[in-house]
Amino acid sequence: MCGIVGVVDRNNLASPIIHEALKRLEYRGYDSAGIATIYQNKICLKKEKGKISEIHEKLDFNKLLGTIGIGHTRWATHGLPSKTNAHPQVDCTNKIAVVHNGIIENFLELREDLAKRHNFVSETDTEVIPHLIEEIMAKTKCDLHTATRRALQKVKGTYALVIICTKESDTLVCARNESPLVIGVGKNANYCASDIPALLPMTRKIILLSDGEMATIHHDKIRIETINGEVEVQPKIVNVSWTPEMAQKGGYPHFMLKEIHEQPHALNGTLMIRPEVINKTANVLNDSEKLYITAAGTSHHAGLAGRYMLSKLSAMQSQAIISSEFSESTANLIDEDTTILAISQSGETADTLNAIKFAKDNGAKIVSITNVMGSTISRLSDLTLYTQAGPEIGVAATKTFIVQLASLALISLQLAEIRGMTDNSEIEQIREELFQTPRIVENTIKKHESLIRDIAYEYAYKPNFLYLGRGISTTTAMEGSLKLKEIAYIHSEAYPAGESKHGAIALIEPGFPVVFIAPHDDTRERIIGNIMEMKAREATIISVADENDYEIKKLSHKMIGIPSTMGILSPITCVTPLQLFAYYAATKRGYDPDKPRNLAKSVTVL
Ligand code: G6P
């Protein structure tokens, strides 16, 4: 949450570069934003409440002069979204400016002491940092990086920070502890930001800063050292394969729609993961006595689907636990014989990282699935499998979900082979079908997008929805329901269809929309029964079902037909219509699906 960026450039104005980078980081938070530069020995600052485009229209960020600067887009934790609480935060003398992502846990204590000598204007935890640095620099006459290091030794909490000071108008100082921060190496310019896509138009040469490290960045040199030990760290430059175009809308009105359309490509990329990597992952899982899958949000739904795949294909027992509940629900259960399969597209979700740390402390082995190279999750893991979706910018996860499913299917099939639990010919058939899923998803979009849009437009103003599925389709229903809630702000619930008669059915009245995920698998007969129950109460039935299933078609008011696949792969083929449905419902209601209110893509607070 919160996006930060720093630029030091020898030849160009920093502010327009920061402004563009902030737009690419806006998925991390968008309740206020600001930029500070140094020009003629002064901090020049523009910040305001609102989205970046609204603020820019009002204040024109690009008019800020200076070749060095920092920027921030905020997701409020301490203090309401407001101009005063927006970052950058400055010291009393207006010589030091700071942007921060994370939470300073001991800020009240620090503030109480500093407030005796310093003038605090905001409610943020961040504001203690510029005042601390100001005080240290004034007392000891040290340089910015030394003052920052000393200040950070007093600070408890999580942070990615970038700091500028008029006394050193060619220097960015940045530091990281449990909030993401990368450094970009340019030509006569260097950068830092919360993620790689923010920097792609400027450079693809990236240094991944580790927790507990800080950097002093000039336009032509970068020095990295540990915050506590002052030990110099040799920077390792990674050349990333993501292109700048991947982080742009490419003609689509929203990133979310672009990313839904990119799913066939993302699936193709992920299905090409080297068989050795899949085999190694499957073997680690096979060697464990206890297997827990942990994740948050959409990734948790992939984890739930993974559990069905593992059990059905390879008779592998596992439990899928929401990461924020992990330590509580597995207290006394984790030991050296346990493996954790952690799933996170960003690799930075605090809840998931916390679950991993808890499991590691208790001796478990960590295997992770993530989409972001060098992300924190990969550094905490014994083994990481990288999905190949390219950068995902839309807040609501789409293409990263589908590739998580594909990688879980690859692992489950490999495990089935290792454990000899499924017939070889069946394994081969499912594998072949898995490799057909990019084509199926592509055809579904081509064939049905306008039908789905029409259905979404028709029902976009219904206040409540129910999503039902059986077996693995329950997880597809959960994901479809989450998408509708997240971006269209329509209340919806997902249930195993069989369970609906124990509660949710009480909600049904004439015209209540119920979305059934009903692919042609061995739950079909039963789900037809559930459709009948809802129909008998005059619900409106919208179904995602096999295109040749005339029985379900007859029972449905609207049906989106998908080609039949082996049941276990159905989340991959059934989820796209649900993503498109949510997208068009959101746009019909006038909402921006890329920036749903109160949400952020990467949730780095617990
Ligand atoms: C946030 C996002 C969701 C995402 C979840 C987990 O809540 O808004 O779209 O599914 O975090 O993110 P992760 O990066 O760990 O998959």
Side-chain angles (χ1 to χ4, degrees):
M1 340 204 78
C2 299
I4 64 171
V5 60
V7 170
V8 51
D9 192 318
R10 187 165 155 192
N11 305 316
N12 298 296
L13 286 183
S15 188
I17 304 173
I18 296 171
H19 174 204
E20 287 306 312
L22 282 182
K23 287 201 253 173
R24 290 187 289 277
L25 285 169
E26 209 173 7
Y27 72 86
R28 300 180 67 87
Y30 30 82
D31 58 48
S32 47
I35 296 179
T37 58
I38 302 177
Y39 183 63
Q40 293 185 337
N41 233 12
K42 282 203 182 89
I43 295 281
C44 308
L45 174 66
K46 291 189 178 188
K47 61 179 187 174
E48 194 42 277
K49 179 182 163 179
K51 290 188 179 160
I52 294 170
S53 58
E54 296 158 3
I55 305 171
H56 178 58
E57 204 167 296
K58 199 165 144 193
L59 304 177
D60 196 348
F61 282 128
N62 296 352
K63 287 214 167 112
L64 280 170
L65 299 176
T67 55
I68 182 167
I70 55 178
H72 188 269
T73 179
R74 182 168 185 248
W75 188 91
T77 57
H78 293 60
L80 288 176
S82 69
K83 179 176 177 171
T84 329
N85 289 334
H87 297 207
Q89 291 289 328
V90 294
D91 69 321
C92 303
T93 61
N94 211 23
K95 288 188 164 39
I96 299 160
V98 175
V99 287
H100 169 217
N101 168 30
I103 291 178
I104 309 296
E105 284 158 13
N106 60 339
F107 88 101
L108 278 176
E109 183 190 321
L110 292 169
R111 186 176 169 135
E112 200 178 293
D113 174 50
L114 286 162
K116 294 174 194 152
R117 303 170 298 281
H118 294 259
N119 182 25
F120 277 81
V121 294
S122 79
E123 298 158 274
T124 64
D125 52 334
T126 305
E127 200 185 347
V128 295
I129 306 274
H131 293 298
L132 263 178
I133 296 175
E134 174 195 356
E135 189 155 295
I136 295 167
M137 285 180 97
K139 263 193 200 152
T140 65
K141 311 283 173 234
C142 64
D143 59 16
L144 179 63
H145 106 267
T146 310
T148 303
R149 175 153 26 76
R150 290 184 186 156
L152 291 180
Q153 279 156 1
K154 295 179 192 276
V155 160
K156 287 196 195 108
T158 60
Y159 50 78
L161 288 161
V162 198
I163 303 145
I164 50 173
C165 172
T166 54
K167 286 194 183 143
E168 289 170 47
S169 57
D170 59 348
T171 314
L172 292 173
V173 171
C174 64
R176 162 181 177 151
N177 186 41
E178 294 191 28
S179 296
L181 191 62
V182 298
I183 296 173
V185 183
K187 257 198 195 142
N188 281 325
N190 287 313
Y191 316 89
C192 58
S194 298
D195 74 13
I196 298 171
L199 301 179
L200 286 176
M202 291 91 85
T203 182
R204 286 157 72 183
K205 288 184 177 167
I206 300 294
I207 300 168
L208 304 160
L209 211 60
S210 295
D211 279 343
E213 287 179 357
M214 62 186 292
T216 309
I217 305 175
H218 298 94
H219 75 270
D220 56 353
K221 56 177 188 269
I222 297 164
R223 183 189 151 88
I224 301 176
E225 59 184 36
T226 57
I227 298 171
N228 286 328
E230 282 178 62
V231 179
E232 186 166 357
V233 178
Q234 278 316 309
K236 205 170 117 203
I237 299 177
V238 185
N239 288 301
V240 297
S241 58
W242 290 356
T243 63
E245 294 71 40
M246 285 175 166
Q248 283 157 10
K249 283 188 200 153
Y252 286 91
H254 297 103
F255 279 111
M256 182 177 176
L257 189 60
K258 175 183 174 238
E259 287 158 2
I260 292 173
H261 278 255
E262 281 173 348
Q263 293 189 124
H265 184 66
L267 277 170
N268 269 323
T270 301
L271 293 172
M272 299 304 285
I273 293 176
R274 283 182 298 126
E276 307 88 83
V277 178
I278 301 293
N279 191 35
K280 202 169 164 191
T281 313
N283 272 303
V284 175
L285 302 193
N286 192 36
D287 288 346
S288 59
E289 237 165 58
K290 285 176 272 178
L291 175 61
Y292 292 99
I293 307 173
T294 194
T298 290
S299 296
H300 172 60
H301 295 157
L304 286 170
R307 188 169 64 90
Y308 280 92
M309 292 177 188
L310 289 167
S311 108
K312 284 217 153 178
L313 294 175
S314 49
M316 180 92 197
Q317 202 186 5
S318 64
Q319 271 192 60
I321 299 177
I322 286 181
S323 49
S324 57
E325 285 296 315
F326 188 81
S327 58
E328 289 297 323
S329 65
T330 61
N332 304 320
L333 296 179
I334 311 285
D335 56 28
E336 294 79 25
D337 300 320
T338 311
T339 297
I340 308 300
L341 177 57
I343 309 173
S344 168
Q345 77 77 23
S346 64
E348 302 293 349
T349 299
D351 289 326
T352 307
L353 298 179
N354 209 37
I356 292 175
K357 285 176 194 156
F358 170 79
K360 255 178 113 79
D361 287 348
N362 286 287
K365 198 169 254 165
I366 313 295
V367 176
S368 61
I369 297 178
T370 186
N371 195 48
V372 181
M373 195 185 64
S375 52
T376 308
I377 204 172
S378 66
R379 298 182 207 195
L380 292 174
S381 302
D382 298 293
L383 184 65
T384 301
L385 193 146
Y386 288 105
T387 51
Q388 301 296 319
E392 185 176 74
I393 315 285
V395 166
T398 52
K399 62 176 178 172
T400 54
F401 175 66
I402 221 164
V403 295
Q404 288 168 349
L405 293 171
S407 50
L408 287 161
L410 285 170
I411 296 168
S412 305
L413 285 166
Q414 192 60 24
L415 258 169
E417 220 171 288
I418 296 170
R419 292 163 70 87
M421 300 311 294
T422 309
D423 195 82
N424 272 352
S425 62
E426 195 185 333
I427 296 176
E428 266 331 293
Q429 197 192 341
I430 301 174
R431 197 172 269 137
E432 264 172 38
E433 287 200 355
L434 178 60
F435 281 81
Q436 295 299 319
T437 55
R439 190 185 48 79
I440 296 174
V441 172
E442 190 174 0
N443 288 341
T444 301
I445 298 174
K446 268 195 200 140
K447 214 164 142 187
H448 296 312
E449 185 166 2
S450 59
L451 166 71
I452 298 166
R453 186 186 54 219
D454 293 347
I455 303 175
Y457 282 6
E458 190 175 336
Y459 294 100
Y461 290 98
K462 289 277 182 187
N464 298 294
F465 273 75
L466 198 56
Y467 281 68
L468 300 178
R470 289 188 89 105
I472 198 166
S473 296
T474 308
T475 66
T476 318
M478 290 168 85
E479 179 56 13
S481 164
L482 175 66
K483 287 280 108 39
L484 192 71
K485 227 180 320 211
E486 275 181 314
I487 60 167
Y489 316 147
I490 300 174
H491 172 250
S492 77
E493 281 191 57
Y495 257 88
E499 180 70 7
S500 60
K501 58 186 174 294
H502 299 294
I505 202 163
L507 297 170
I508 303 301
E509 50 188 37
F512 191 112
V514 184
V515 181
F516 277 94
I517 323 305
H520 202 135
D521 59 17
D522 44 19
T523 66
R524 178 178 170 274
E525 300 308 321
R526 290 242 161 97
I527 207 153
I528 288 179
N530 300 128
I531 297 177
M532 304 289 281
E533 286 158 15
M534 291 296 164
K535 253 189 107 65
R537 284 150 186 92
E538 295 181 60
T540 297
I541 310 295
I542 302 168
S543 57
V544 177
D546 190 310
E547 58 197 1
N548 298 317
D549 199 327
Y550 297 105
E551 199 175 341
I552 293 190
K553 194 168 191 171
K554 256 203 301 196
L555 293 173
S556 307
H557 292 83
K558 308 279 176 187
M559 181 174 118
I560 302 145
I562 40 132
S564 53
T565 49
M566 298 298 281
I568 212 73
L569 301 177
S570 68
I572 302 179
T573 54
C574 289
V575 77
T576 303
L578 304 178
Q579 297 164 336
L580 286 169
F581 181 78
Y583 172 81
Y584 283 112
T587 50
K588 175 73 180 169
R589 288 162 65 95
Y591 301 130
D592 178 351
D594 284 345
K595 300 186 193 89
R597 69 184 174 213
N598 306 333
L599 298 177
K601 188 155 192 70
S602 180
V603 182
T604 52
V605 293
L606 288 175

